[in-house]
Amino acid sequence: SLKQEDVLFGGKFQALYVIGDSLVDSGNNNYLPTKVKSNFAPYGSDFEGGKPTGRFSNGKTIADYIAIYYGLPLAPAYMGLSEEQKNNISTGINYASASCGVFPATGKQLGECLSMDVQVNYFKETIDKNLKKSFKTKQELSKHLAKSLFMIAIGINDYVFLYNKTIDPNEFADKLLHEYMTQIQVHSTEDFDFCVQRLQRLGARKFFINNLKPLGCYPNTLARNVPSGSCNEGANLLISIFNTKLRKALAHFKEKLAYTSFLYSDYFKFMLGLRGPSSNQASSNLMDSTSPCCPSVYDGGQYTSCTPDSIACKVPDSHIFFDPFHPTQMANFMYAIGCFQERRVCKVV
């Protein structure tokens, strides 16, 4: 796997295509009728030009840092591109949509969002309508797709919106995983319109897979847990069941497909690590790990969020979370270091 390490960490990728949720949305929800938006201050206060873009952070997301690491432009939000721009972009596009998930019903209570299969459909459209104009031959296009990186960071909202205590955790994880893998997977059938044209079938060969975050350690959960500031271990256990299954499935998948490779990112462990030595105590490190930067006075309400009238903290870099659900640019930057420089967070499957 050393050769794969070289390819995936040293990758001369031609493009970065992003499938995901609010962790990596670069502005798609700006164009959708939904309550879940971040296209207003104080979001984006540390982004280039200090302007809100629809990223759920004060600055760059982990998808942005991945693009930067590979020397690619930040992948623009698909929904914000004109037809002409779509025809001219061959360095990657971001399809991620806040509040959405793997199951089509996820997040729809709050308005419209692009679920995983819709994002993959848009990617298919990008190939059929736009990339075919940039690459004259089928071979060139295939080569482009094989030399692109596909980042996937989705699935936590399925737990947030659809999981409840009456559901068996293993069954839920299996269902979610099945749906997730079908989006990546090859179908043995030759019928090209079977369900959704999947990513692997469409030509994707190199994947960057982000596992699910420790929901039990996010401010909106911490505030309600006893003792206050300690993680909800039950919620974390639930998520780790899925993460373990995901990692196994990728390893199994890898054995079947000679030309497909995965960089697996243990985002769960990374976020726990930012809290300091024990996930159970209030943090002992330099960053505030329990309260968000925005709103700066946080009541721990389930739906309290960062709104256009919210006052944000003065120094976002001193916080792990920018709002109750999303990390700061500093946390995202530390993630990139842990992934690419230390290679602790990201491993080749």
Side-chain angles (χ1 to χ4, degrees), residues 24 61 66 68-69 73 77 79 83 142 160 185 201-202 224 230 246 249 263:
V24 290
T61 66
I66 290 166
I68 290 166
Y69 172 76
M79 301 301 283
E83 215 41 53
S142 302
V160 173
Q185 219 155 12
R201 191 60 185 268
L202 290 169
R224 296 197 302 279
S230 65
L246 174 64
L263 202 50

Side-chain angles (χ1 to χ4, degrees), residues 159-188:
Y159 278 95
V160 173
F161 290 101
L162 300 182
Y163 182 81
N164 65 50
K165 290 194 168 55
T166 64
I167 302 169
D168 176 87
N170 271 301
E171 264 175 55
F172 188 84
D174 285 337
K175 264 203 186 101
L176 185 61
L177 185 70
H178 175 77
E179 191 69 25
Y180 186 112
M181 294 307 282
T182 349
Q183 304 294 347
I184 303 177
Q185 219 155 12
V186 188
H187 281 288
S188 49

Side-chain angles (χ1 to χ4, degrees), residues 39-198:
N39 54 349
F40 50 84
Y43 288 107
S45 54
D46 293 298
F47 196 76
E48 295 139 13
K51 290 208 167 47
T53 57
R55 285 168 172 80
F56 289 76
S57 179
N58 57 308
K60 294 183 179 70
T61 66
I62 61 175
D64 294 330
Y65 282 116
I66 290 166
I68 290 166
Y69 172 76
Y70 289 116
L72 292 163
L74 306 188
Y78 180 78
M79 301 301 283
L81 299 172
S82 68
E83 215 41 53
E84 191 189 353
Q85 286 170 315
K86 288 178 195 167
N87 288 337
N88 289 317
I89 291 174
S90 59
T91 51
I93 290 176
N94 185 321
Y95 305 90
S97 176
S99 83
C100 250
V102 179
F103 295 129
T106 295
K108 297 290 170 32
Q109 302 86 319
L110 300 173
E112 206 182 306
C113 61
L114 315 175
S115 56
M116 192 179 187
D117 61 328
V118 173
Q119 294 183 39
V120 176
N121 279 341
Y122 278 136
F123 171 64
K124 181 182 187 306
E125 215 167 273
T126 297
I127 295 176
D128 294 345
K129 281 167 105 177
N130 313 118
L131 287 174
K132 283 184 176 164
K133 298 189 169 99
S134 305
F135 298 95
K136 295 293 167 261
T137 68
K138 215 172 171 173
Q139 282 82 359
E140 273 181 61
L141 178 56
S142 302
K143 202 169 152 190
H144 167 75
L145 296 172
K147 290 195 160 183
S148 295
L149 186 62
F150 291 80
M151 179 190 190
I152 303 179
I154 199 165
I156 195 69
N157 291 326
D158 297 287
Y159 278 95
V160 173
F161 290 101
L162 300 182
Y163 182 81
N164 65 50
K165 290 194 168 55
T166 64
I167 302 169
D168 176 87
N170 271 301
E171 264 175 55
F172 188 84
D174 285 337
K175 264 203 186 101
L176 185 61
L177 185 70
H178 175 77
E179 191 69 25
Y180 186 112
M181 294 307 282
T182 349
Q183 304 294 347
I184 303 177
Q185 219 155 12
V186 188
H187 281 288
S188 49
T189 169
E190 278 310 299
D191 169 15
F192 254 53
D193 283 319
F194 189 78
C195 292
V196 178
Q197 265 258 28
R198 313 295 184 192

Side-chain angles (χ1 to χ4, degrees), residues 149-294:
L149 186 62
F150 291 80
M151 179 190 190
I152 303 179
I154 199 165
I156 195 69
N157 291 326
D158 297 287
Y159 278 95
V160 173
F161 290 101
L162 300 182
Y163 182 81
N164 65 50
K165 290 194 168 55
T166 64
I167 302 169
D168 176 87
N170 271 301
E171 264 175 55
F172 188 84
D174 285 337
K175 264 203 186 101
L176 185 61
L177 185 70
H178 175 77
E179 191 69 25
Y180 186 112
M181 294 307 282
T182 349
Q183 304 294 347
I184 303 177
Q185 219 155 12
V186 188
H187 281 288
S188 49
T189 169
E190 278 310 299
D191 169 15
F192 254 53
D193 283 319
F194 189 78
C195 292
V196 178
Q197 265 258 28
R198 313 295 184 192
L199 287 171
Q200 222 270 346
R201 191 60 185 268
L202 290 169
R205 295 293 174 265
K206 309 273 185 297
F207 291 90
F208 185 108
I209 307 279
N210 207 54
N211 73 5
L212 307 189
K213 69 187 186 185
L215 202 55
C217 297
Y218 273 61
N220 60 314
T221 309
L222 288 172
R224 296 197 302 279
N225 213 33
V226 183
S228 178
S230 65
C231 297
N232 178 333
E233 297 301 335
N236 284 351
L237 180 63
L238 201 62
I239 303 302
S240 57
I241 290 171
F242 175 81
N243 286 343
T244 305
K245 289 178 190 281
L246 174 64
R247 190 171 181 144
K248 281 194 185 129
L250 295 175
H252 173 71
F253 198 42
K254 172 80 205 72
E255 280 164 26
K256 292 198 303 196
L257 299 162
Y259 300 108
T260 302
S261 46
F262 298 102
L263 202 50
Y264 177 81
S265 147
D266 196 345
Y267 188 75
F268 182 91
K269 194 170 153 200
F270 165 76
M271 286 303 281
L272 283 186
L274 280 188
R275 286 181 59 81
S278 154
S279 67
N280 235 338
Q281 295 153 353
S283 158
S284 63
N285 62 10
L286 296 171
M287 292 170 86
D288 181 331
S289 68
T290 50
S291 62
C293 169
C294 176

Side-chain angles (χ1 to χ4, degrees), residues 22-39:
S22 57
L23 186 65
V24 290
D25 186 344
S26 60
N28 284 307
N29 275 32
N30 296 354
Y31 302 91
L32 299 170
T34 172
K35 293 190 179 103
V36 187
K37 291 187 199 276
S38 58
N39 54 349

